[in-house]
Each structure stands twice: as structure tokens, then as C-alpha cells.
Amino acid sequence: GLCWPATTSSAAAARSAAAMATAPMPTPAIRPDTADYRTLLLQGAPLLDVRAPVEFAGGSLPSATNRPLLTDAERHLVGKCYKERGEGAAIELGNELVRDRVREE
């Protein structure tokens, strides 16, 4: 759910939520450095998806090939490390897990 500041009354929160629900969503601008993505996707350009297999199985772009940097088990360990010790420790663990593998390939 939405988090409201402690000083906001429930009536004010309801009015604010109703206004947000009826406000038109702005059309996102196309960044100049991403203009070719649509063309690449429509042409079926080969794409490399480095997410863990479980993430790839959850959905991917049509022309993507999965070459994961981490196994599902390693991904789980990094996530657990993030929850228990924070972002820095999780990044360090992820780097350790892939460092030797990258050199081998």
C-alpha cells in the first residue's frame, strides 16, 4: 500500500489517493540514446540476457539468449547477503562469485 506521513489525516490521504487515481499519466519521453531500441527489437536483433535462469524464465525479450552470470543458487545467496549485510556486502559477494568465471571464458 501507499505510505503516508504521520501528520496526514486519513481523509486527506483518501483525497490525495483519489486525485492520483484520476490524474492522467504523462507520456514518457523517448531518450535520444534509446531511439534505436524499438528498431532492434522489431528486427529481432540477438540480445544477451545475463540474469539468473529463474529471472529469465519469468520473462524475457523475444530474441534474448540467456547466459547467466549467476546461478539461481548464487542469486539467492546474493539476495540473502543484501538483506542481512546490505548493498555493499552483496555487491562484493556478487563480484567474488563471477570474478574467476569471467576470466575463464
mmCIF file of all heavy atoms in Angstrom, residues 58-94:
data_model
loop_
_atom_site.group_PDB
_atom_site.id
_atom_site.type_symbol
_atom_site.label_atom_id
_atom_site.label_comp_id
_atom_site.label_asym_id
_atom_site.label_seq_id
_atom_site.Cartn_x
_atom_site.Cartn_y
_atom_site.Cartn_z
ATOM 1 N N GLY A 58 11.050 -16.092 -15.979
ATOM 2 C CA GLY A 58 9.908 -15.264 -15.637
ATOM 3 C C GLY A 58 9.493 -14.309 -16.733
ATOM 4 O O GLY A 58 8.418 -13.725 -16.687
ATOM 5 N N GLY A 59 10.325 -14.154 -17.738
ATOM 6 C CA GLY A 59 10.012 -13.277 -18.854
ATOM 7 C C GLY A 59 11.267 -12.674 -19.448
ATOM 8 O O GLY A 59 12.203 -12.344 -18.733
ATOM 9 N N SER A 60 11.277 -12.592 -20.757
ATOM 10 C CA SER A 60 12.431 -12.017 -21.453
ATOM 11 C C SER A 60 11.984 -11.466 -22.797
ATOM 12 O O SER A 60 10.866 -11.710 -23.240
ATOM 13 C CB SER A 60 13.513 -13.073 -21.653
ATOM 14 O OG SER A 60 13.043 -14.094 -22.506
ATOM 15 N N LEU A 61 12.870 -10.747 -23.424
ATOM 16 C CA LEU A 61 12.589 -10.237 -24.759
ATOM 17 C C LEU A 61 12.665 -11.395 -25.756
ATOM 18 O O LEU A 61 13.440 -12.343 -25.555
ATOM 19 C CB LEU A 61 13.577 -9.136 -25.117
ATOM 20 C CG LEU A 61 13.455 -7.892 -24.232
ATOM 21 C CD1 LEU A 61 14.612 -6.947 -24.466
ATOM 22 C CD2 LEU A 61 12.143 -7.196 -24.469
ATOM 23 N N PRO A 62 11.895 -11.341 -26.833
ATOM 24 C CA PRO A 62 11.792 -12.477 -27.754
ATOM 25 C C PRO A 62 13.118 -12.980 -28.332
ATOM 26 O O PRO A 62 13.297 -14.180 -28.479
ATOM 27 C CB PRO A 62 10.891 -11.954 -28.876
ATOM 28 C CG PRO A 62 10.124 -10.839 -28.275
ATOM 29 C CD PRO A 62 11.007 -10.248 -27.216
ATOM 30 N N SER A 63 14.045 -12.108 -28.642
ATOM 31 C CA SER A 63 15.278 -12.557 -29.284
ATOM 32 C C SER A 63 16.432 -12.734 -28.303
ATOM 33 O O SER A 63 17.585 -12.873 -28.708
ATOM 34 C CB SER A 63 15.677 -11.569 -30.388
ATOM 35 O OG SER A 63 15.902 -10.281 -29.838
ATOM 36 N N ALA A 64 16.128 -12.773 -26.998
ATOM 37 C CA ALA A 64 17.175 -12.871 -25.984
ATOM 38 C C ALA A 64 17.630 -14.310 -25.762
ATOM 39 O O ALA A 64 16.836 -15.245 -25.783
ATOM 40 C CB ALA A 64 16.681 -12.279 -24.671
ATOM 41 N N THR A 65 18.934 -14.447 -25.542
ATOM 42 C CA THR A 65 19.555 -15.708 -25.168
ATOM 43 C C THR A 65 20.068 -15.539 -23.746
ATOM 44 O O THR A 65 20.690 -14.530 -23.431
ATOM 45 C CB THR A 65 20.739 -16.039 -26.100
ATOM 46 O OG1 THR A 65 20.248 -16.144 -27.432
ATOM 47 C CG2 THR A 65 21.428 -17.318 -25.698
ATOM 48 N N ASN A 66 19.817 -16.523 -22.894
ATOM 49 C CA ASN A 66 20.236 -16.434 -21.505
ATOM 50 C C ASN A 66 21.632 -16.994 -21.317
ATOM 51 O O ASN A 66 21.893 -18.151 -21.607
ATOM 52 C CB ASN A 66 19.228 -17.180 -20.623
ATOM 53 C CG ASN A 66 19.444 -16.968 -19.142
ATOM 54 O OD1 ASN A 66 19.343 -17.905 -18.360
ATOM 55 N ND2 ASN A 66 19.709 -15.765 -18.724
ATOM 56 N N ARG A 67 22.554 -16.142 -20.867
ATOM 57 C CA ARG A 67 23.921 -16.521 -20.498
ATOM 58 C C ARG A 67 24.146 -15.944 -19.112
ATOM 59 O O ARG A 67 24.763 -14.891 -18.951
ATOM 60 C CB ARG A 67 24.934 -15.976 -21.498
ATOM 61 C CG ARG A 67 24.767 -16.475 -22.920
ATOM 62 C CD ARG A 67 25.248 -17.860 -23.106
ATOM 63 N NE ARG A 67 26.697 -17.833 -22.900
ATOM 64 C CZ ARG A 67 27.444 -18.890 -22.801
ATOM 65 N NH1 ARG A 67 26.907 -20.065 -22.898
ATOM 66 N NH2 ARG A 67 28.729 -18.802 -22.601
ATOM 67 N N PRO A 68 23.615 -16.601 -18.081
ATOM 68 C CA PRO A 68 23.605 -16.024 -16.739
ATOM 69 C C PRO A 68 24.991 -15.861 -16.124
ATOM 70 O O PRO A 68 25.861 -16.710 -16.297
ATOM 71 C CB PRO A 68 22.770 -17.017 -15.939
ATOM 72 C CG PRO A 68 22.870 -18.296 -16.684
ATOM 73 C CD PRO A 68 23.034 -17.932 -18.128
ATOM 74 N N LEU A 69 25.153 -14.741 -15.426
ATOM 75 C CA LEU A 69 26.381 -14.519 -14.668
ATOM 76 C C LEU A 69 26.352 -15.299 -13.363
ATOM 77 O O LEU A 69 27.389 -15.722 -12.868
ATOM 78 C CB LEU A 69 26.570 -13.031 -14.365
ATOM 79 C CG LEU A 69 26.853 -12.141 -15.574
ATOM 80 C CD1 LEU A 69 26.921 -10.683 -15.153
ATOM 81 C CD2 LEU A 69 28.144 -12.556 -16.246
ATOM 82 N N LEU A 70 25.168 -15.464 -12.780
ATOM 83 C CA LEU A 70 24.990 -16.195 -11.525
ATOM 84 C C LEU A 70 24.002 -17.335 -11.720
ATOM 85 O O LEU A 70 23.058 -17.212 -12.496
ATOM 86 C CB LEU A 70 24.442 -15.270 -10.430
ATOM 87 C CG LEU A 70 25.268 -14.070 -10.008
ATOM 88 C CD1 LEU A 70 24.478 -13.209 -9.031
ATOM 89 C CD2 LEU A 70 26.582 -14.504 -9.393
ATOM 90 N N THR A 71 24.215 -18.429 -11.002
ATOM 91 C CA THR A 71 23.219 -19.495 -10.974
ATOM 92 C C THR A 71 22.063 -19.030 -10.086
ATOM 93 O O THR A 71 22.179 -18.028 -9.369
ATOM 94 C CB THR A 71 23.812 -20.794 -10.380
ATOM 95 O OG1 THR A 71 24.128 -20.561 -8.997
ATOM 96 C CG2 THR A 71 25.048 -21.255 -11.144
ATOM 97 N N ASP A 72 20.974 -19.777 -10.102
ATOM 98 C CA ASP A 72 19.847 -19.434 -9.231
ATOM 99 C C ASP A 72 20.263 -19.476 -7.762
ATOM 100 O O ASP A 72 19.874 -18.616 -6.965
ATOM 101 C CB ASP A 72 18.672 -20.378 -9.471
ATOM 102 C CG ASP A 72 18.037 -20.177 -10.840
ATOM 103 O OD1 ASP A 72 18.180 -19.079 -11.422
ATOM 104 O OD2 ASP A 72 17.391 -21.130 -11.327
ATOM 105 N N ALA A 73 21.078 -20.466 -7.396
ATOM 106 C CA ALA A 73 21.536 -20.598 -6.004
ATOM 107 C C ALA A 73 22.427 -19.412 -5.614
ATOM 108 O O ALA A 73 22.306 -18.880 -4.502
ATOM 109 C CB ALA A 73 22.277 -21.917 -5.815
ATOM 110 N N GLU A 74 23.313 -19.002 -6.516
ATOM 111 C CA GLU A 74 24.178 -17.852 -6.240
ATOM 112 C C GLU A 74 23.361 -16.572 -6.117
ATOM 113 O O GLU A 74 23.620 -15.741 -5.249
ATOM 114 C CB GLU A 74 25.230 -17.708 -7.337
ATOM 115 C CG GLU A 74 26.271 -18.810 -7.321
ATOM 116 C CD GLU A 74 27.121 -18.840 -8.575
ATOM 117 O OE1 GLU A 74 26.651 -18.378 -9.646
ATOM 118 O OE2 GLU A 74 28.256 -19.335 -8.495
ATOM 119 N N ARG A 75 22.369 -16.422 -6.976
ATOM 120 C CA ARG A 75 21.480 -15.259 -6.911
ATOM 121 C C ARG A 75 20.791 -15.211 -5.553
ATOM 122 O O ARG A 75 20.667 -14.158 -4.937
ATOM 123 C CB ARG A 75 20.453 -15.328 -8.034
ATOM 124 C CG ARG A 75 19.423 -14.226 -7.987
ATOM 125 C CD ARG A 75 18.355 -14.457 -9.080
ATOM 126 N NE ARG A 75 17.282 -13.506 -8.968
ATOM 127 C CZ ARG A 75 16.194 -13.671 -8.220
ATOM 128 N NH1 ARG A 75 16.041 -14.764 -7.511
ATOM 129 N NH2 ARG A 75 15.260 -12.756 -8.178
ATOM 130 N N HIS A 76 20.343 -16.363 -5.081
ATOM 131 C CA HIS A 76 19.695 -16.439 -3.772
ATOM 132 C C HIS A 76 20.664 -16.010 -2.663
ATOM 133 O O HIS A 76 20.291 -15.265 -1.749
ATOM 134 C CB HIS A 76 19.182 -17.859 -3.521
ATOM 135 C CG HIS A 76 18.566 -18.050 -2.175
ATOM 136 N ND1 HIS A 76 17.307 -17.587 -1.862
ATOM 137 C CD2 HIS A 76 19.053 -18.625 -1.049
ATOM 138 C CE1 HIS A 76 17.045 -17.871 -0.599
ATOM 139 N NE2 HIS A 76 18.090 -18.501 -0.089
ATOM 140 N N LEU A 77 21.914 -16.462 -2.749
ATOM 141 C CA LEU A 77 22.915 -16.082 -1.744
ATOM 142 C C LEU A 77 23.167 -14.581 -1.738
ATOM 143 O O LEU A 77 23.290 -13.973 -0.673
ATOM 144 C CB LEU A 77 24.236 -16.823 -2.001
ATOM 145 C CG LEU A 77 24.257 -18.313 -1.715
ATOM 146 C CD1 LEU A 77 25.594 -18.909 -2.151
ATOM 147 C CD2 LEU A 77 24.010 -18.580 -0.237
ATOM 148 N N VAL A 78 23.250 -13.978 -2.914
ATOM 149 C CA VAL A 78 23.463 -12.536 -3.001
ATOM 150 C C VAL A 78 22.269 -11.795 -2.403
ATOM 151 O O VAL A 78 22.436 -10.818 -1.666
ATOM 152 C CB VAL A 78 23.737 -12.099 -4.458
ATOM 153 C CG1 VAL A 78 23.738 -10.583 -4.598
ATOM 154 C CG2 VAL A 78 25.068 -12.672 -4.946
ATOM 155 N N GLY A 79 21.066 -12.252 -2.691
ATOM 156 C CA GLY A 79 19.873 -11.624 -2.123
ATOM 157 C C GLY A 79 19.834 -11.740 -0.612
ATOM 158 O O GLY A 79 19.491 -10.777 0.089
ATOM 159 N N LYS A 80 20.199 -12.894 -0.096
ATOM 160 C CA LYS A 80 20.242 -13.102 1.349
ATOM 161 C C LYS A 80 21.308 -12.203 1.983
ATOM 162 O O LYS A 80 21.071 -11.590 3.023
ATOM 163 C CB LYS A 80 20.540 -14.575 1.638
ATOM 164 C CG LYS A 80 20.447 -14.965 3.070
ATOM 165 C CD LYS A 80 20.610 -16.467 3.220
ATOM 166 C CE LYS A 80 20.567 -16.844 4.683
ATOM 167 N NZ LYS A 80 20.738 -18.276 4.865
ATOM 168 N N CYS A 81 22.453 -12.099 1.336
ATOM 169 C CA CYS A 81 23.530 -11.234 1.817
ATOM 170 C C CYS A 81 23.065 -9.779 1.836
ATOM 171 O O CYS A 81 23.339 -9.042 2.784
ATOM 172 C CB CYS A 81 24.769 -11.391 0.925
ATOM 173 S SG CYS A 81 26.184 -10.411 1.431
ATOM 174 N N TYR A 82 22.333 -9.363 0.817
ATOM 175 C CA TYR A 82 21.809 -7.996 0.748
ATOM 176 C C TYR A 82 20.897 -7.715 1.934
ATOM 177 O O TYR A 82 21.006 -6.672 2.584
ATOM 178 C CB TYR A 82 21.058 -7.802 -0.564
ATOM 179 C CG TYR A 82 20.459 -6.424 -0.726
ATOM 180 C CD1 TYR A 82 21.211 -5.387 -1.267
ATOM 181 C CD2 TYR A 82 19.153 -6.169 -0.339
ATOM 182 C CE1 TYR A 82 20.672 -4.118 -1.411
ATOM 183 C CE2 TYR A 82 18.603 -4.909 -0.477
ATOM 184 C CZ TYR A 82 19.361 -3.889 -1.017
ATOM 185 O OH TYR A 82 18.826 -2.633 -1.142
ATOM 186 N N LYS A 83 20.003 -8.639 2.238
ATOM 187 C CA LYS A 83 19.065 -8.447 3.350
ATOM 188 C C LYS A 83 19.779 -8.418 4.700
ATOM 189 O O LYS A 83 19.425 -7.660 5.586
ATOM 190 C CB LYS A 83 18.011 -9.552 3.366
ATOM 191 C CG LYS A 83 16.943 -9.396 2.325
ATOM 192 C CD LYS A 83 15.900 -10.478 2.480
ATOM 193 C CE LYS A 83 14.781 -10.280 1.489
ATOM 194 N NZ LYS A 83 13.731 -11.293 1.648
ATOM 195 N N GLU A 84 20.789 -9.278 4.848
ATOM 196 C CA GLU A 84 21.451 -9.416 6.142
ATOM 197 C C GLU A 84 22.581 -8.413 6.366
ATOM 198 O O GLU A 84 22.795 -7.966 7.487
ATOM 199 C CB GLU A 84 22.001 -10.838 6.302
ATOM 200 C CG GLU A 84 20.911 -11.880 6.398
ATOM 201 C CD GLU A 84 21.446 -13.304 6.421
ATOM 202 O OE1 GLU A 84 22.683 -13.504 6.336
ATOM 203 O OE2 GLU A 84 20.613 -14.231 6.513
ATOM 204 N N ARG A 85 23.322 -8.059 5.288
ATOM 205 C CA ARG A 85 24.523 -7.241 5.472
ATOM 206 C C ARG A 85 24.558 -5.981 4.623
ATOM 207 O O ARG A 85 25.491 -5.207 4.713
ATOM 208 C CB ARG A 85 25.751 -8.106 5.196
ATOM 209 C CG ARG A 85 25.825 -9.266 6.189
ATOM 210 C CD ARG A 85 27.035 -10.159 6.049
ATOM 211 N NE ARG A 85 28.245 -9.472 5.764
ATOM 212 C CZ ARG A 85 29.139 -9.882 4.845
ATOM 213 N NH1 ARG A 85 28.918 -10.967 4.151
ATOM 214 N NH2 ARG A 85 30.238 -9.206 4.639
ATOM 215 N N GLY A 86 23.565 -5.801 3.748
ATOM 216 C CA GLY A 86 23.487 -4.562 2.988
ATOM 217 C C GLY A 86 24.017 -4.657 1.567
ATOM 218 O O GLY A 86 24.597 -5.662 1.143
ATOM 219 N N GLU A 87 23.799 -3.553 0.839
ATOM 220 C CA GLU A 87 24.136 -3.486 -0.582
ATOM 221 C C GLU A 87 25.615 -3.716 -0.861
ATOM 222 O O GLU A 87 25.981 -4.477 -1.758
ATOM 223 C CB GLU A 87 23.708 -2.120 -1.133
ATOM 224 C CG GLU A 87 24.026 -1.939 -2.595
ATOM 225 C CD GLU A 87 23.633 -0.559 -3.106
ATOM 226 O OE1 GLU A 87 23.368 0.344 -2.291
ATOM 227 O OE2 GLU A 87 23.602 -0.404 -4.329
ATOM 228 N N GLY A 88 26.479 -3.061 -0.107
ATOM 229 C CA GLY A 88 27.924 -3.182 -0.349
ATOM 230 C C GLY A 88 28.410 -4.611 -0.237
ATOM 231 O O GLY A 88 29.178 -5.092 -1.078
ATOM 232 N N ALA A 89 27.971 -5.305 0.803
ATOM 233 C CA ALA A 89 28.381 -6.696 1.004
ATOM 234 C C ALA A 89 27.842 -7.586 -0.112
ATOM 235 O O ALA A 89 28.530 -8.502 -0.580
ATOM 236 C CB ALA A 89 27.896 -7.193 2.366
ATOM 237 N N ALA A 90 26.609 -7.314 -0.564
ATOM 238 C CA ALA A 90 26.017 -8.114 -1.638
ATOM 239 C C ALA A 90 26.763 -7.896 -2.955
ATOM 240 O O ALA A 90 27.008 -8.850 -3.702
ATOM 241 C CB ALA A 90 24.543 -7.769 -1.802
ATOM 242 N N ILE A 91 27.141 -6.660 -3.242
ATOM 243 C CA ILE A 91 27.908 -6.373 -4.460
ATOM 244 C C ILE A 91 29.260 -7.070 -4.395
ATOM 245 O O ILE A 91 29.714 -7.677 -5.372
ATOM 246 C CB ILE A 91 28.064 -4.855 -4.653
ATOM 247 C CG1 ILE A 91 26.715 -4.232 -5.028
ATOM 248 C CG2 ILE A 91 29.126 -4.537 -5.708
ATOM 249 C CD1 ILE A 91 26.709 -2.717 -5.050
ATOM 250 N N GLU A 92 29.899 -7.008 -3.241
ATOM 251 C CA GLU A 92 31.196 -7.670 -3.068
ATOM 252 C C GLU A 92 31.077 -9.175 -3.291
ATOM 253 O O GLU A 92 31.892 -9.778 -3.998
ATOM 254 C CB GLU A 92 31.728 -7.383 -1.663
ATOM 255 C CG GLU A 92 33.131 -7.894 -1.430
ATOM 256 C CD GLU A 92 33.650 -7.503 -0.054
ATOM 257 O OE1 GLU A 92 33.325 -6.403 0.433
ATOM 258 O OE2 GLU A 92 34.397 -8.314 0.522
ATOM 259 N N LEU A 93 30.043 -9.790 -2.715
ATOM 260 C CA LEU A 93 29.829 -11.225 -2.910
ATOM 261 C C LEU A 93 29.575 -11.538 -4.378
ATOM 262 O O LEU A 93 30.148 -12.483 -4.928
ATOM 263 C CB LEU A 93 28.658 -11.714 -2.056
ATOM 264 C CG LEU A 93 28.249 -13.174 -2.260
ATOM 265 C CD1 LEU A 93 29.409 -14.124 -1.967
ATOM 266 C CD2 LEU A 93 27.035 -13.505 -1.405
ATOM 267 N N GLY A 94 28.729 -10.766 -5.032
ATOM 268 C CA GLY A 94 28.460 -10.984 -6.452
ATOM 269 C C GLY A 94 29.725 -10.901 -7.285
ATOM 270 O O GLY A 94 29.948 -11.742 -8.173
#
